[in-house]
Structures are given as structure tokens and as C-alpha cells.
Amino acid sequence: MLRPALAPLILAAVLAAGPALAQTAPAPATPAPTPAYGRTITLAEAKTVVAAAEAEARKQGWTMVIVVVEPNGALVMSEKMDGTQYGSNDVARRKAETSANFRRPTSYFQEAVKGGTLNSIFSGAMAIEGGELLIIDGKIAGAVGASGGSGAQDGQVARAGAAALK
């Protein structure tokens, strides 16, 4: 028979051991090192990026806003395809700025939010797919942002634009 005086001690021991027995989520993967900033993207290169992104959007039947920014987030070029909703102007720009400012695609933040390792409001970062880095000579020359469809569609268009520089 259990003495009443020992019951609180046993309860405390069981509660203290509970977290040790609980399943824990695996540690998040360490992100790959991000490239350093390099020279600024030129207008001619930005036009190449936008043309490739627009071609992908048209091929898929989507309308998009496509924005290219310098490494510091300054606007180089913005294109709104006919029929794209007005709200996509700001979203595409913010996706491009997020990628440039944080040196990673916006999908990184989306996955971190989904995994519970990052608050969805992280210093103004857009935590949705559609912002990609523009890499020239192994360094960040700017970023591209796309908006107008789902996050996955925006990401597909932005990646097509970024691939045009490779």
C-alpha cells in the first residue's frame, strides 16, 4: 500500500520524466551556405530573366507580375502581364526583396513556417514561394519575384526566370 505522503513525490517524478519519454521532432536541416553578394544585375540581364519567366507563365496559361531587384532590393524591372490582379504588384516585389535581403529563396521561409521552426512574420520576410536569387559568377546579383498564381506556380515562374542566367 502506498503511503499518502509519497504520492506527491511519485507524481512529480512521473511528470518530470514525461518529456524525456515524449517523441521529439527531428532537428531542422542546416541550410546550405548562401552565396555572397556580387555585382548588380544589369537591365539587359533583368530583361532576359523577365522574358524567360513570362514565357513560362504564358506556356502554363498563367498571368503574373514579375519583378527583378538588385542585391539591396532596389527595383530594376517590373512587368505586369495583362489580366494579373493588382495585389500581385506588391507581393512580387516583396518576394524579390526577401530573397535578396536574406540571400535565399522565399520557399525557405515557407518551409520553415510549415515545419514550425520560424514565425510567419520574420522581419518582413515573405514566407511563400515565388522569390528566387539571381546568381552570376557564383554570387548574388539580384533576385526575381513572381506573383499571380498559387505559391507553387509563382515559384515555377521565378525559377524559370532565374535559370535564364545560367
Side-chain angles (χ1 to χ4, degrees):
M1 176 151 189
L2 183 65
R3 289 191 199 173
L6 293 177
L9 292 174
I10 293 171
L11 179 60
V14 168
L15 290 176
L21 300 174
Q23 291 182 347
T24 58
T30 304
T34 55
Y37 293 111
R39 69 170 178 82
T40 301
I41 190 165
T42 65
L43 179 58
E45 291 164 335
K47 287 179 179 181
T48 298
V49 169
V50 170
E54 180 185 351
E56 179 64 22
R58 287 193 187 287
K59 179 175 128 184
Q60 301 299 331
W62 304 327
T63 61
M64 296 273 169
V65 172
I66 303 154
V67 174
V68 174
V69 299
E70 295 179 348
N72 67 357
L75 180 66
V76 176
M77 186 173 180
S78 179
E79 175 183 280
K80 178 185 169 288
M81 296 172 66
D82 295 340
T84 307
Q85 65 266 12
Y86 298 118
S88 290
N89 288 301
D90 186 51
V91 173
R93 181 187 51 78
R94 289 182 56 212
K95 287 179 180 182
E97 290 171 352
T98 295
S99 285
N101 290 333
F102 292 98
R103 299 187 311 174
R104 56 187 37 92
T106 56
S107 60
Y108 168 84
F109 296 101
Q110 178 177 312
E111 293 306 312
V113 170
K114 280 184 188 176
T117 59
L118 181 71
N119 185 326
S120 63
I121 302 171
F122 182 75
S123 299
M126 287 295 290
I128 188 164
E129 196 172 348
E132 295 289 330
L133 293 173
L134 299 174
I135 307 294
I136 299 174
D137 297 328
K139 295 190 177 180
I140 299 168
V144 59
S147 179
S150 68
Q153 292 168 340
D154 296 351
Q156 183 175 335
V157 168
R159 283 188 297 278
L165 291 180
K166 295 180 180 182

